[in-house]
Amino acid sequence: MKIKNYILVFAALLLTFTVFAQQGKQNKADTLFNKFSFVKAAEVYKELIAKDYNKDYATRKLADCYALLRDPKNASKYYKKVVEQDNVPVEYYYSYAQSLRGIKDYEESEKWLERYKDSGGVVNSNDFSKDSNFITNVFNAKQQYFLDKFNFNSEYSDFGAYEHDGKIYFCSTRDAGVAIKRLYGWNEQPFLDVYVTELDSEEEVDHTKKLQGDINTVFHDGPVTITKDGKYMYFSRNNFKDNVENKDNKGLTNMKIYRATFRDSIWTDVEDLAINSDNYSTQHAALNSDDTKLYFASDRPGGMGGSDIYVVDISADGVLGEPKNLGDVVNTNGAEGFPFINNEGTLFFSSDGHVGLGMLDVFASINDENDNIIDVINLGTPVNSSKDDFSFTMSANGTAGYFASNRSGGKGDDDIYAYNRIPPLKVEGVVSDAINSNPIPNSTIKLYDEKGGQIAYMETDENGYYSINIDRNQDYKIVGSHDKYIEDYRTFTSKNLKTELTTITANLLLNPVEDVVTLAQLNTIYFDFDKYNIRPDAAQELDKIVDLMVNQYPDMVIRIESHTDSRGSLSYNDKLSIDRANSTYEYLISHGVAPERITAHEGFGERRLTNGCDGSEDCEEQAHQLNRRTQFIVIKME
């Protein structure tokens, strides 16, 4: 009997020790989680699940670990088990929906988002469910961005690529060539350092390419941005200065933005900026085009979500003003970060709170005429994916740049992707009165394609201005009209234009109409290259003008304007255009038009091209032909 009791006591003690062991393991996992050591925490939670100890709780925490590690594949795997648990908090429905979006299972994601809302969950107005057609719209949009090769990625995390003065600066957790590596507990990778290399370099980027000076420390450093004159660098770093690490009241080391000065070929004199605090993070510095404003991300109190984007003025002596939150058009109750401002004042940033394709997506601001941000748009594919896409930057001319992503197919964790961009193209102009040059508001503008099909219709504003987005590599005709004027038109082409060209100008001149008299458009005539003789097709058009002026409208008065293409010198083209005006004038006079009814016959050389064929690029002959022309302006008719 005693032996039996001993066995029972021993078994009870063994069970107790086992329970204590598992309980200690759970405490260990939770401690690692709370210290942001998610890789190590995940391993311990897996052990608890295998031992079937507090399995539901461990599964939830394991799923959260993978979500925080930005691993939607594994996060969705474990969230799927979580949402099948009894009495699971409804927030896990939302987390599951997000992770499904991260693996491109948009249909299932939508189902779980609806279940979240049906269970009482609140979805903010910028949630990815806002537009049910969003995914379709993004994938069907005309592609502007095209991926290029980036030569400097590693098997670790690389991001924050920034181009300045022929060099590229970026952050990386690589530490190739270093014997002892300090690891960051969150993801078990080395701490970030700033690297720099020549744009066209073919050398491997290792520890020898770390930025020289006082920027890199034993903690996280970067990304960076540099003033246009190259004198100052703003960069992110853990709260660490003079070999002292400062922590907040929770024991965490936050991020700060520092400013360094370029002196004696190195970056030194590191300053802790007034916008920083020990109690919250301030990071991801970006400068506007004239270096008078600093944009950054911060989770400081008073924001709208996990982190918001702010802007602060920089005075001439480098003193920073009071930070201003960019407001709820940009910021959400999610996380916004990695701002960048291009030369046109457009803000690019990453967010997981706006309608997106995946987790973090890159967005761009839409600004009004006063540079106020009135909306944001998703950049679409291939910049954005179902994973994290961030740290977007752009070259000065707007045709190339970089961003980072942890999408599939990369070399490491986060990878840098280069892109080239074909920016949108528009035709714009002003419709004016041909007599007094005053703008004509509310005149009708119609745009036609090369087959004569109407593709756009609009009215000019109070300044007679119009603007229409057009496709590249097309021929167009733009027609302006008003009920009190004779219509005018221009033909132009968007073929063979330089990529960075974003605007074609086509101004229109309308001549007043007397009473209800309507006149057929006086057609433009064209000339052969380097010639000014009247071609047979031009003679047919001139005969029509003679008939109009002699037989139908005997009081009509016109002006002749002749032009050339851009080939040849400016002075030669001026003379050639005058010869074309003279030959046109002489034809009309010789066929019966009184000289006093032609007020002027002038040549303008290549000064009024109808398209972008200005000699800076190769154009097809058809495009040059559109510039070799004579046009007729009606001055008076009764």
Side-chain angles (χ1 to χ4, degrees):
M1 187 68 180
K2 287 183 178 181
I3 293 176
K4 181 178 180 181
N5 288 338
Y6 285 141
I7 293 173
L8 290 173
V9 170
F10 179 77
L13 288 172
L14 185 61
L15 178 61
T16 300
F17 289 143
T18 301
V19 170
F20 279 140
Q22 299 309 318
Q23 185 175 335
K25 189 168 289 187
Q26 180 176 304
N27 290 338
K28 177 183 177 182
D30 289 346
T31 299
L32 289 168
F33 185 94
N34 293 334
K35 289 184 175 180
F36 306 101
S37 294
F38 300 119
V39 172
K40 291 179 178 177
E43 293 304 316
V44 182
Y45 285 127
K46 286 180 182 178
E47 293 176 14
L48 291 170
I49 294 170
K51 296 291 186 179
D52 202 20
Y53 180 81
N54 212 352
K55 187 174 182 179
D56 284 356
Y57 172 82
T59 304
R60 295 178 194 178
K61 300 299 288 185
L62 179 59
D64 290 340
C65 283
Y66 283 120
L68 290 163
L69 287 167
R70 318 305 277 185
D71 182 350
K73 181 178 180 180
N74 278 310
S76 61
K77 172 183 174 181
Y78 289 101
Y79 278 135
K80 182 177 182 180
K81 297 177 180 180
V82 169
V83 296
E84 294 172 353
Q85 296 173 5
D86 295 331
N87 303 316
V88 64
V90 296
E91 286 74 18
Y92 280 97
Y93 297 157
Y94 185 84
S95 297
Y96 185 35
Q98 278 194 311
S99 66
L100 288 167
R101 183 171 53 142
I103 59 173
K104 300 184 181 180
D105 193 345
Y106 300 114
E107 184 175 345
E108 191 69 14
S109 174
E110 184 66 27
K111 290 179 182 178
W112 282 97
L113 186 67
E114 288 300 320
R115 185 164 176 180
Y116 169 70
K117 292 189 289 187
D118 292 343
S119 303
V122 178
V123 177
N124 73 81
S125 61
N126 288 315
D127 191 87
F128 59 90
S129 65
K130 176 180 175 183
D131 182 356
S132 59
N133 295 318
F134 168 74
I135 300 300
T136 300
N137 293 340
V138 167
F139 279 103
N140 288 340
K142 184 176 288 293
Q143 186 172 339
Q144 287 189 42
Y145 299 86
F146 300 84
L147 299 187
D148 274 342
K149 185 179 180 181
F150 185 80
N151 297 320
F152 308 120
N153 284 314
S154 70
E155 61 183 299
Y156 294 97
S157 180
D158 304 290
F159 67 92
Y162 171 77
E163 189 177 317
H164 181 83
D165 197 24
K167 294 182 174 63
I168 183 165
Y169 299 77
F170 63 94
C171 306
S172 180
T173 58
R174 75 187 70 190
D175 233 350
V178 177
I180 300 176
K181 295 180 174 64
R182 298 181 69 257
L183 300 183
Y184 179 40
W186 183 303
N187 56 11
E188 293 298 297
Q189 289 195 19
F191 283 85
L192 289 166
D193 278 322
V194 179
Y195 292 77
V196 59
T197 188
E198 300 291 332
L199 275 173
D200 55 358
S201 173
E202 296 183 359
E203 296 181 7
E204 181 182 355
V205 176
D206 57 17
H207 68 285
T208 63
K209 299 296 183 181
K210 286 186 179 182
L211 186 62
Q212 298 300 303
D214 300 329
I215 304 300
N216 289 318
T217 66
V218 295
F219 292 102
H220 284 312
D221 305 288
V224 309
T225 189
I226 302 172
T227 56
K228 304 301 181 293
D229 59 12
K231 292 182 179 179
Y232 300 102
M233 172 185 287
Y234 293 83
F235 65 98
S236 301
R237 173 194 284 175
N238 277 125
N239 189 356
F240 179 84
K241 192 166 184 275
D242 298 328
N243 293 319
V244 176
E245 178 188 11
N246 294 305
K247 298 185 178 182
D248 62 15
N249 50 20
K250 296 180 182 178
L252 301 177
T253 304
N254 289 305
M255 299 298 294
K256 285 186 174 183
I257 294 176
Y258 296 86
R259 179 169 57 202
T261 302
F262 193 66
R263 182 175 290 113
D264 298 328
S265 301
I266 63 170
W267 293 100
T268 186
D269 298 339
V270 174
E271 305 173 62
D272 189 341
L273 301 180
I275 58 175
N276 295 319
S277 170
D278 293 342
N279 297 317
Y280 50 76
S281 283
T282 303
Q283 58 186 334
H284 305 161
L287 294 164
N288 66 341
S289 59
D290 61 2
D291 298 328
T292 59
K293 294 182 183 294
L294 176 68
Y295 291 77
F296 61 91
S298 178
D299 60 354
R300 62 188 59 213
M304 299 178 183
S307 64
D308 286 0
I309 295 176
Y310 294 79
V311 62
V312 63
D313 291 328
I314 308 173
S315 66
D317 59 1
V319 175
L320 302 186
E322 190 66 26
K324 178 184 176 183
N325 189 296
L326 289 190
D328 59 6
V329 176
V330 171
N331 295 313
T332 70
N333 62 4
E336 280 73 45
F338 296 96
F340 176 80
I341 308 294
N342 71 0
N343 280 0
E344 284 69 49
T346 300
L347 167 70
F348 296 85
F349 65 99
S350 290
S351 172
D352 63 6
H354 287 283
V355 182
L357 289 173
M359 302 174 79
L360 280 175
D361 270 17
V362 180
F363 296 83
S365 68
I366 298 175
N367 300 1
D368 64 15
E369 61 274 9
N370 298 316
D371 235 11
N372 298 312
I373 299 176
I374 58 175
D375 203 353
V376 300
I377 57 172
N378 188 294
L379 291 196
T381 58
V383 172
N384 290 320
S385 67
S386 62
K387 300 295 180 66
D388 286 318
D389 308 291
F390 58 100
S391 71
F392 180 96
T393 61
M394 183 178 286
S395 61
N397 64 12
T399 63
Y402 309 93
F403 67 92
S405 179
N406 63 354
R407 66 188 63 182
S408 301
K411 186 175 182 179
D413 184 356
D414 300 314
D415 284 306
I416 296 170
Y417 292 82
Y419 68 84
N420 62 76
R421 173 177 177 256
I422 300 178
L425 181 66
K426 66 180 179 181
V427 57
E428 66 174 9
V430 175
V431 180
S432 304
D433 188 305
I435 304 301
N436 55 30
S437 298
N438 291 333
I440 306 175
N442 305 119
S443 50
T444 298
I445 296 294
K446 294 180 181 179
L447 182 68
Y448 297 89
D449 62 22
E450 57 190 355
K451 295 181 180 179
Q454 182 177 313
I455 55 177
Y457 173 95
M458 67 175 301
E459 290 187 352
T460 58
D461 64 14
E462 65 274 12
N463 299 311
Y465 173 79
Y466 75 90
S467 175
I468 303 172
N469 291 332
I470 59 175
D471 290 330
R472 294 175 184 268
N473 299 312
Q474 303 288 334
D475 292 323
Y476 294 98
K477 177 181 179 180
I478 191 91
V479 179
S481 62
H482 192 280
D483 56 6
K484 295 183 179 180
Y485 292 84
I486 302 167
E487 72 177 26
D488 185 25
Y489 78 94
R490 294 283 186 275
T491 54
F492 65 94
T493 185
S494 62
K495 294 178 178 177
N496 302 316
L497 301 180
K498 286 185 174 181
T499 301
E500 56 265 32
L501 184 67
T502 59
T503 303
I504 295 175
T505 300
N507 295 323
L508 298 168
L509 293 172
L510 304 189
N511 289 276
V513 174
E514 293 286 344
D515 300 325
V516 294
V517 177
T518 302
L519 179 66
Q521 175 67 47
L522 302 183
N523 288 332
T524 300
I525 64 171
Y526 296 95
F527 296 84
D528 290 332
F529 174 66
D530 201 26
K531 304 291 184 183
Y532 57 87
N533 60 290
I534 303 299
R535 302 188 322 202
D537 59 326
Q540 291 180 3
E541 297 300 328
L542 291 177
D543 288 342
K544 294 177 185 178
I545 294 174
V546 170
D547 180 62
L548 284 169
M549 297 185 71
V550 173
N551 301 317
Q552 300 183 45
Y553 301 101
D555 295 312
M556 183 193 302
V557 177
I558 66 171
R559 182 174 75 245
I560 295 171
E561 296 181 352
S562 296
H563 311 272
T564 71
D565 61 32
S566 62
R567 294 176 289 185
S569 67
L570 190 64
S571 59
Y572 181 83
N573 285 336
D574 284 343
K575 182 181 182 304
L576 179 59
S577 66
I578 292 172
D579 289 340
R580 288 173 178 172
N582 289 337
S583 65
T584 304
Y585 173 80
E586 291 166 1
Y587 186 98
L588 294 177
I589 298 304
S590 66
H591 285 73
V593 177
E596 62 269 18
R597 295 175 60 196
I598 302 176
T599 62
H601 50 290
E602 300 176 288
F604 295 90
E606 58 183 274
R607 291 177 172 80
R608 297 183 181 179
L609 300 174
T610 65
N611 50 37
C613 298
D614 58 2
S616 62
E617 58 189 47
D618 293 331
C619 284
E620 296 178 358
E621 174 59 26
Q622 182 181 4
H624 284 302
Q625 173 69 92
L626 296 175
N627 291 316
R628 301 193 301 267
R629 69 200 189 280
T630 289
Q631 294 172 297
F632 305 92
I633 311 302
V634 177
I635 303 301
K636 175 186 174 184
M637 48 178 302
E638 295 179 359

